[in-house]
Amino acid sequence: MGKEIRVGIDVGGTHTKAVAIDNATHEIVGQSVVMTSHDHPLGVAAGVIECFENCLTKNNIAPEDVVFIAHSTTQATNALLEGDVAKVGILGIGPGGLSGLMSKKQSNISDIDLGTGRKIKICHTYLKQKGLDKTLVEQGISTLLEQGAQVIVASQAFGVDSNREEELVKEVAEKKGMLVSVASDISKLYGLTSRTRTAAINGSILPKMMNTANSTENAVNQAGIKVPLMIMRGDGGVMDISEMKKRPVLTMLSGPAASVIGALMYLRASNGIYFEVGGTSTNIGVIKNGRPAVEYSVVGGHRTYVNSLDVTVLGVAGGSMVRAADHKLVDVGPRSAHIGGMEYAVYTPLEEIEDPQLEFFSPKKGDVSDYVCIRLKNGKRVTITNSCAANILGYVKETDYSYGNVESAKKCMKPLADYLKVSVEECARQILGKAFEKIEPVITRFAEKYKIEHDQISLVGVGGGASSLLPFTAEKMGLNYSIPEYAEVISSIGVALAMVRDVVERVIPNPTSEDITEIKKEAKTLAIKNGATPESIEVQIEVDPQTSKVTAIALGSTEVQTTDLLKECDEEEARKLAAASMNLSEDALKCTIQNDIFYVFEADKNEKHQVRLLDKKGFIKVQRSDAKAVEVKAADWEAAVDAMWKDMLVYKAEMERTPDLYLCIEGKVLDYANTVSLEQLKIIMGTEFAGIYPDEKIILLGARSEV
């Protein structure tokens, strides 16, 4: 066998991009770009197939060398945006009599408005759980088919406790050749209405997604690739294609997720705001303590039980066109050069730019008519974009993907600058200023939501248009920023390097150690089912004190263990990284704890004690102010937790503010922020000490609540 190769494919709105990565070195050994095949009979699958086949053949990669292949997809998101969905028949199941009236009402959801003028059409029938058999289920399914149902949703009251009847519906429906969405497969949370709605959204895209999945899977098999095809999830993990066929809704927003995973691999991004900047839109989200922030997806204004990245999408990007009226700049975007069918001025050959004249136009029927374009002597029209402005002002470096011909941009911008009665440079600055007006509130809101202090924010830019927006934004806000190498294909890299991620959520008031152990085991089993090796899996537990929701997040790698991309950093390099994050000189920091895996640096700043926990790869895993850290033997963990809790507890306005604690054990960093009580914290934390030697050292960090 030759080299071991990982293949990642990212399906974007315009292009489908594949990269082949050497599994041992993470070096990119092949790339391929094709147009995304929206209009092909096979849909986007045709582009995926063409892209990975090109990537292999052009780079002499043998199919048997491929040890991992995965792709992200915009198809679930696009199907919902475009209303390309099936009619869903909900078969509600629950008790009879008066107690069944509530279950019947909660599972009988109305048509789901997708917020775009399109709807998921819903029909419903209800069966009593007692005495339910195949004959009654067949009758229920027939009733739904008569109403035009194309997909069946089985949704049972308290199905998260026992879903025997839901499984019966699935068995009967599949024998009839129907696609089925089982509510308890999608979520283990109570809340029959939300669970049913999430399953209905999942069911509505099943036919479309199944066609793509089958086409792509067949092509991968026919190409001689032996490993299973993995699909990117919206929460940043991957899942086996067989799981995707059951839960395609989990792939929503997998494009932005892929970008973040790629950026985390190539940058030591611990806390920051990331931008995925394309030509038309920018996805903005959060990295907190080295992990992307995840939220429940909202579809057409409806909250679902689907985990995906907490992302804000803005209609401003590298190719956003300029709008002007009454000798003033009106806006930048949301229409882009791509929509207008024009080249960017900055990418137009200088010799073509003769006698540039300012014109105003409407890109699409119904659009405002104040968009700016420049008509050249040869009749060609080009347009002014953020990329043009950023090139003129010197924010785009020669090595950046969005670098162009600065003189071309200046020559085309001159007529607009004259119209605005300003210099070309001032015109460019005003253009980027308009984009910044949309971006700044999003950064501020995310920083507040996730409690990231201003001096800890770093901006991370990915996507081909990153340098058109990021440097200006960072300058205006006084922030650091970074754009990784290969920014334009970072999504494909993220897909190739993604881990298996599975989540189990349950509502458990006052969870016991047995409850925690059980939910951890369930999450681990799911991750193994999705292709993660048992020894690679780590399970993180989170508890929401307000809702009593316990979440187990399992992360693991696939069969072939990937090597780490970043070399280990020594204490001197780690000190530099910690000092930069504190905005202090290196000699102000003291390394208080060091072991085979972690460094802890501490310093005083603004009357608060700063703590930074870094791993040996240089990732800052915890950065908190008003904090402390101790190293103790595992045998003494309870006493250390008691002392830390007591020391960090804050009383404010007659209210108790519980501290945030972090545990470093066996190379893992476990976050116990927002734990409601010391008793609950010790129950959850205690499950980590099974099988740990009493003399083994652990690190405990505590921070006073920032709220």
Side-chain angles (χ1 to χ4, degrees):
M1 186 173 175
K3 287 184 175 180
E4 293 179 336
I5 303 296
R6 299 175 76 87
V7 177
I9 307 153
D10 178 56
V11 184
T14 307
H15 293 106
T16 295
K17 301 176 183 179
V19 296
I21 294 177
D22 185 306
N23 188 59
T25 65
H26 285 175
E27 178 192 356
I28 294 177
V29 294
Q31 293 187 48
S32 173
V33 180
V34 302
M35 296 301 288
T36 299
S37 52
H38 295 291
D39 301 324
H40 193 279
L42 291 178
V44 297
V48 171
I49 294 161
E50 182 188 356
C51 204
F52 89 75
E53 287 181 342
N54 284 352
C55 195
L56 298 188
T57 54
K58 287 182 180 176
N59 298 288
N60 298 316
I61 297 167
E64 58 269 22
D65 292 346
V66 177
V67 296
F68 177 91
I69 181 166
H71 77 79
S72 73
T73 176
T74 56
Q75 198 165 20
T77 308
N78 289 349
L80 293 168
L81 284 173
E82 294 160 14
D84 190 3
V85 290
K87 184 170 183 178
V88 174
I90 295 170
L91 208 160
I93 306 163
L98 285 173
S99 57
L101 290 176
M102 184 62 78
S103 300
K104 185 175 182 179
K105 183 181 177 185
Q106 288 178 342
S107 65
N108 188 7
I109 60 171
S110 53
D111 291 352
I112 299 170
D113 187 339
L114 295 171
T116 57
R118 310 286 178 89
K119 292 184 178 182
I120 299 173
K121 297 283 187 184
I122 305 285
C123 53
H124 175 269
T125 191
Y126 186 81
L127 297 176
K128 293 175 187 173
Q129 187 172 332
K130 193 173 181 181
L132 190 65
D133 59 17
K134 285 185 179 181
T135 304
L136 291 170
V137 170
E138 283 175 351
Q139 289 171 3
I141 291 171
S142 295
T143 301
L144 294 171
L145 288 174
E146 286 164 12
Q147 295 176 64
Q150 297 164 283
V151 176
I152 301 296
V153 165
S155 187
Q156 178 180 345
F158 303 104
V160 296
D161 297 328
S162 169
N163 70 343
R164 191 175 62 84
E165 286 77 9
E166 284 183 345
E167 288 297 326
L168 177 62
V169 172
K170 182 183 178 184
E171 181 190 331
V172 173
E174 286 182 344
K175 277 187 180 171
K176 288 178 172 285
M178 298 287 295
L179 290 172
V180 188
S181 179
V182 176
S184 60
D185 273 353
I186 313 300
S187 173
K188 302 291 184 188
L189 289 178
Y190 294 115
L192 186 57
T193 302
S194 290
R195 200 165 69 248
T196 304
R197 185 184 296 116
T198 306
I201 294 167
N202 185 71
S204 75
I205 58 175
L206 266 173
K208 179 100 177 170
M209 298 294 284
M210 284 293 282
N211 289 339
T212 302
N214 289 331
S215 302
T216 317
E217 188 175 30
N218 289 340
V220 168
N221 292 337
Q222 285 168 18
I225 294 171
K226 303 298 181 195
V227 292
L229 176 63
M230 308 295 281
I231 310 295
M232 194 84 190
R233 295 162 52 127
D235 60 12
V238 288
M239 60 181 175
D240 189 291
I241 194 163
S242 59
E243 275 299 302
M244 193 279 271
K245 289 175 183 178
K246 287 199 299 189
R247 303 186 286 169
V249 74
L250 298 186
T251 67
M252 283 196 305
L253 291 175
S254 65
S259 293
V260 184
I261 301 306
L264 288 173
M265 290 289 176
Y266 273 75
L267 294 165
R268 292 181 171 117
S270 301
N271 283 316
I273 310 292
Y274 64 83
F275 289 61
E276 183 194 25
V277 188
T280 303
S281 62
T282 296
N283 297 306
I284 304 178
V286 174
I287 298 166
K288 180 79 187 277
N289 293 330
R291 295 201 303 266
V294 173
E295 269 275 22
Y296 287 134
S297 293
V298 175
V299 176
H302 299 289
R303 190 174 160 91
T304 70
Y305 281 162
V306 176
N307 283 299
S308 65
L309 264 64
D310 189 0
V311 168
T312 295
V313 182
L314 291 181
V316 59
S320 298
M321 294 189 293
V322 174
R323 292 169 53 199
D326 299 327
H327 301 281
K328 291 179 183 172
L329 205 65
V330 174
D331 203 355
V332 178
R335 294 299 193 194
S336 65
H338 173 68
I339 300 296
M342 294 180 204
E343 288 180 17
Y344 301 25
V346 74
Y347 305 132
T348 304
L350 187 59
E351 60 271 16
E352 285 188 22
I353 303 170
E354 287 186 50
D355 191 24
Q357 297 293 321
L358 180 68
E359 288 189 0
F360 297 96
F361 76 109
S362 175
K364 292 279 186 187
K365 192 177 178 181
D367 284 351
V368 289
S369 56
D370 59 6
Y371 280 89
V372 167
C373 71
I374 304 296
R375 182 176 289 279
L376 308 179
K377 188 177 179 181
N378 62 9
K380 182 178 178 179
R381 295 195 308 169
V382 298
T383 192
I384 308 290
T385 67
N386 283 316
S387 291
C388 302
N391 271 273
I392 286 171
L393 293 171
Y395 290 115
V396 186
K397 302 184 187 77
E398 280 190 50
T399 51
D400 290 339
Y401 187 77
S402 49
Y403 185 75
N405 190 319
V406 175
E407 289 309 311
S408 292
K410 284 182 175 178
K411 205 168 175 182
C412 286
M413 197 175 284
K414 182 72 165 64
L416 174 61
D418 290 346
Y419 175 78
L420 299 176
K421 298 174 184 170
V422 296
S423 67
V424 167
E425 286 73 18
E426 175 57 23
C427 178
R429 191 160 288 280
Q430 284 187 23
I431 289 168
L432 294 182
K434 283 291 180 186
F436 176 73
E437 285 174 16
K438 299 178 183 181
I439 293 166
E440 191 272 338
V442 178
I443 295 174
T444 303
R445 180 175 60 80
F446 273 136
E448 288 171 356
K449 181 176 180 179
Y450 290 99
K451 301 177 186 174
I452 304 174
E453 296 171 26
H454 187 273
D455 62 0
Q456 293 180 9
I457 299 172
S458 173
L459 304 183
V460 178
V462 297
S467 55
S468 65
L469 295 181
L470 227 69
F472 182 84
T473 300
E475 180 182 277
K476 290 282 283 184
M477 296 188 73
L479 301 172
N480 295 322
Y481 77 93
S482 49
I483 299 172
E485 193 180 0
Y486 306 118
E488 71 280 5
V489 290
I490 205 81
S491 293
S492 304
I493 294 168
V495 176
L497 299 177
M499 308 266 280
V500 173
R501 186 183 198 274
D502 259 293
V503 180
V504 176
E505 298 174 307
R506 292 196 184 284
V507 174
I508 311 173
N510 305 314
T512 63
S513 57
E514 288 79 13
D515 292 328
I516 301 297
T517 302
E518 189 59 37
I519 195 170
K520 284 173 73 173
K521 184 179 174 185
E522 191 175 342
K524 185 173 181 177
T525 302
L526 257 181
I528 292 168
K529 190 177 172 186
N530 259 321
T533 56
E535 66 277 8
S536 73
I537 297 170
E538 291 183 6
V539 183
Q540 172 92 25
I541 295 290
E542 296 175 358
V543 178
D544 185 333
Q546 292 179 315
T547 61
S548 298
K549 185 183 74 176
V550 180
T551 305
I553 304 164
L555 264 180
S557 54
T558 47
E559 193 62 48
V560 177
Q561 294 291 306
T562 61
T563 56
D564 288 309
L565 180 71
L566 297 164
K567 293 184 176 71
E568 286 201 3
C569 63
D570 57 19
E571 184 184 332
E572 184 182 353
E573 192 178 353
R575 181 184 294 274
K576 280 182 187 171
L577 294 164
S581 90
M582 293 186 198
N583 207 12
L584 291 171
S585 64
E586 291 172 38
D587 55 12
L589 276 64
K590 186 177 179 185
C591 184
T592 54
I593 301 170
Q594 183 180 159
N595 59 30
D596 292 342
I597 301 164
F598 298 111
Y599 298 103
V600 174
F601 290 94
E602 301 184 44
D604 290 316
K605 181 185 176 185
N606 300 334
E607 298 180 4
K608 289 191 176 179
H609 194 64
Q610 304 281 332
V611 174
R612 300 292 185 269
L613 172 80
L614 290 83
D615 66 15
K616 289 292 173 85
K617 300 297 174 189
F619 282 90
I620 301 175
K621 307 299 283 188
V622 179
Q623 54 182 24
R624 295 296 300 266
S625 59
D626 210 359
K628 68 182 286 189
V630 295
E631 187 177 45
V632 299
K633 290 179 179 179
D636 302 325
W637 76 269
E638 282 196 76
V641 168
D642 286 339
M644 183 73 78
W645 184 275
K646 186 178 178 183
D647 189 19
M648 293 282 145
L649 201 61
V650 175
Y651 293 93
K652 199 168 183 179
E654 298 183 7
M655 285 186 66
E656 201 175 68
R657 304 283 189 187
T658 59
D660 297 336
L661 266 65
Y662 305 84
L663 171 68
C664 307
I665 183 170
E666 292 189 310
K668 299 180 288 188
V669 180
L670 301 167
D671 182 345
Y672 297 104
N674 302 320
T675 308
V676 71
S677 70
L678 177 59
E679 182 186 10
Q680 185 185 73
L681 172 69
K682 292 205 291 191
I683 287 171
I684 299 167
M685 199 182 279
T687 63
E688 298 296 331
F689 287 88
I692 301 293
Y693 291 112
D695 286 343
E696 190 168 321
K697 293 286 183 72
I698 63 159
I699 299 172
L700 191 67
L701 286 92
R704 291 186 177 89
S705 174
E706 296 167 2
V707 181

